[in-house]
């Protein structure tokens, strides 16, 4: 081989080595870390104090908890049934409104200090989670199961889920109207003073704690129970799971049940932190899908970690850019992930 040929070959190997290094999990973490650091530096240059930056980070964790609850259910469903469920946003909204309906028929008790809510919201949450799970199972039986038995294309599943998003939201409009609603209208929600001058509301701490508890419950379900192991086996290879005697339709029903229940919990927490409106779940779809892709499709822990990153960057960037551009933050992070490592932070393959 000539000298010119050897140089070209060496250059090609160097390029391949660089591409391989840039597609590793470590490189993606580094890029996201630099991006987060850059957002913090930009906020500091805009005159945002260190104390406020810490508080914004804490609020970002709360927002990440809400996105995480929705995205974990979304990634579980995708991992098993293998299609993007665009109706997940309507399930989030339905959970929030069902809780409101339960609270309307229960006597309003005293607030559970230091939180702003009372036991009636907890009761509404505990009722809404299984009900939304059953609605998810019913939608699967009526719509998606028929498509599965017919071997329909992925595009048809996606279009059907989008249709169910509008169908469910239309019922929410018909029952509760288009006006905003609050769980507690006019009730004060004072902030707590924590270490390092951090000021957060007790409700925000409750949201983060609930997200951690539910994720731990999902982990125990997947790792320690028979149905959880069946869900993992079905997600890895549904044909092989059937051959080994696993009832995949039962596994799919359980997956919808868990996914719907987590979506309802996310909706209730979102409604508690702001207000209820029929489009609330739809506007969460982009950050939820971004968290699923960033974390690695089918990986609940990855979805939660990515949701926390999105929440922090969203809140901190809101200190120096117009908050209406907030959803764009999730989109930018998702595009960066797809360009560097499409498998996501915790996806299989690559380094």
């Amino acid at each position: 081989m000539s000298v010119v040929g050897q140089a070209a070959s060496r250059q090609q190997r160097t390029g391949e080595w660089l591409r391989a290094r840039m597609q590793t999990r470590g490189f993606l973490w580094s890029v996201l870390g630099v991006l987060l650091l850059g957002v913090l530096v930009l906020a500091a240059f805009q005159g945002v104090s260190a104390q406020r930056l810490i508080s914004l980070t804490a609020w970002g964790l709360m927002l990440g908890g809400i996105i995480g609850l929705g995205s974990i259910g979304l990634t579980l469903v995708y991992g098993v049934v293998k299609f993007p469920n665009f109706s997940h946003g309507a399930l989030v909204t339905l959970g929030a409104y069902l809780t409101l309906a339960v609270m309307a028929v229960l006597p309003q008790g005293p607030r559970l200090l230091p939180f702003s809510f009372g036991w009636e919201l907890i009761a509404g949450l505990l009722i809404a989670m299984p009900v939304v799970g059953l609605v998810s199972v019913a939608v699967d039986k009526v719509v998606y199961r028929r498509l599965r038995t017919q071997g329909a294309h992925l595009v048809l599943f996606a279009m059907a889920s989008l249709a169910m998003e509008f169908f469910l939201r239309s019922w929410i409009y018909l029952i509760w109207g288009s006006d905003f609603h609050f769980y507690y209208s006019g009730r004060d929600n004072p902030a707590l003073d924590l270490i390092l001058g951090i000021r957060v509301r007790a409700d925000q701490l409750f949201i983060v704690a609930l997200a951690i508890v539910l994720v731990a419950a999902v982990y125990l379900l997947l790792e320690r129970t028979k149905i959880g192991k069946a869900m993992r086996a079905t997600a890895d290879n549904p044909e092989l799971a059937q051959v080994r005697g696993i009832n995949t339709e039962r596994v799919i029903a359980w997956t919808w049940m868990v996914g719907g229940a987590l979506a309802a919990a996310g909706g209730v927490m979102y409604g508690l932190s702001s207000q209820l409106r029929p489009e609330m779940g739809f506007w969460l779809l982009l950050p939820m899908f971004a968290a699923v892709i960033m974390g690695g499709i089918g990986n609940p822990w990855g979805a939660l970690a990515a949701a926390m990153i999105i929440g922090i960057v969203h809140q901190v960037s809101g200190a120096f850019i117009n908050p209406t551009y907030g959803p764009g933050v999730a989109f930018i992070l998702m595009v960066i992930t797809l360009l560097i490592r499409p498998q996501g932070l915790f996806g299989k393959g690559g380094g």
Side-chain angles (χ1 to χ4, degrees):
M1 184 181 292
S2 65
V3 175
V4 175
Q6 289 178 348
S9 177
R10 192 162 49 247
Q11 189 174 10
Q12 184 180 4
R13 287 198 299 272
T14 304
E16 291 173 353
W17 182 85
L18 280 174
R19 277 195 295 275
R21 296 284 79 76
M22 290 176 66
Q23 291 175 349
T24 61
R25 185 179 293 118
F27 184 78
L28 179 57
W29 273 112
S30 302
V31 170
L32 293 176
V34 169
L35 183 66
L36 179 59
L37 184 63
V39 170
L40 290 170
V41 171
L42 278 173
F45 272 118
Q46 295 293 322
V48 181
S49 66
Q51 184 179 345
R52 179 162 168 71
L53 281 178
I54 295 173
S55 294
L56 287 172
T57 303
W59 297 349
L61 290 174
M62 181 273 299
L63 178 61
I66 294 172
I67 297 171
L69 286 173
S71 58
I72 291 168
L74 194 60
T75 200
L76 277 177
V77 169
Y78 189 94
V80 173
V81 297
K82 309 297 183 190
F83 76 89
N85 177 29
F86 292 113
S87 67
H88 204 74
L91 299 177
V92 169
T93 308
L94 184 61
Y97 275 87
L98 282 176
T99 300
L100 182 70
V102 172
M103 291 174 64
V105 298
L106 292 176
Q108 194 173 101
R111 54 194 295 177
L112 300 173
L113 293 174
F115 307 111
S116 69
F117 54 84
W119 64 269
E120 62 277 355
L121 184 128
I122 303 296
L125 171 67
L126 294 176
I127 293 173
M129 287 179 68
V131 171
V132 175
L134 289 173
V135 170
S136 304
V137 174
V139 170
D140 177 69
K141 298 292 184 190
V142 174
V143 181
Y144 306 132
R145 187 177 183 181
R146 293 171 183 270
L147 295 176
R148 275 199 304 276
T149 54
Q150 296 170 6
H153 194 274
L154 176 65
V155 175
L156 284 179
F157 278 98
M159 295 305 294
S161 69
L162 189 59
M164 292 312 301
E165 161 72 26
F166 292 117
F167 176 77
L168 293 173
R169 202 196 323 164
S170 297
W171 276 103
I172 292 170
Y173 270 115
L174 286 172
I175 297 172
W176 287 284
S178 59
D179 292 338
F180 291 178
H181 294 278
F182 294 89
Y183 287 135
Y184 297 98
S185 183
R187 179 176 286 191
D188 62 326
N189 188 11
L192 302 175
D193 292 314
L194 305 181
I195 58 172
L196 301 175
I198 301 175
R199 287 178 60 80
V200 296
R201 295 185 180 92
D203 291 358
Q204 294 172 320
L205 297 177
F206 176 80
I207 291 170
V208 175
L210 180 67
I212 294 172
V213 168
L214 290 179
V215 171
V218 170
Y219 172 78
L220 292 175
L221 172 74
L222 295 176
E223 297 291 334
R224 303 292 175 84
T225 66
K226 193 174 178 181
I227 189 66
K229 292 173 182 174
M231 289 167 70
R232 287 162 49 204
T234 305
D236 287 339
N237 191 327
E239 290 79 14
L240 183 59
Q242 274 186 323
V243 170
R244 298 192 65 177
I246 294 175
N247 185 343
T248 54
E249 284 300 323
R250 181 168 171 265
V251 170
I252 289 172
W254 269 102
T255 305
W256 282 107
M257 188 74 192
V258 174
L262 291 173
V268 176
M269 295 302 102
Y270 190 25
L272 182 64
S273 66
S274 55
Q275 72 269 350
L276 282 70
R277 55 188 188 279
E279 307 85 7
M280 57 187 288
F282 185 76
W283 295 118
L284 272 182
L285 268 182
L286 177 57
M288 286 193 297
F289 270 107
V292 169
I293 293 171
M294 283 179 63
I297 295 174
N299 190 310
W301 290 106
L304 180 65
M308 292 297 178
I309 294 172
I310 291 172
I312 293 172
V313 175
H314 183 134
Q315 286 290 350
V316 175
S317 63
F320 58 89
I321 65 172
N322 192 323
T324 56
Y325 298 133
V329 171
F331 181 74
I332 291 171
L333 292 172
M334 181 178 69
V335 170
I336 290 173
T337 302
L338 289 173
L339 289 175
I340 296 176
R341 194 170 190 273
Q343 306 97 312
L345 290 167
F346 293 86
K348 296 177 182 176

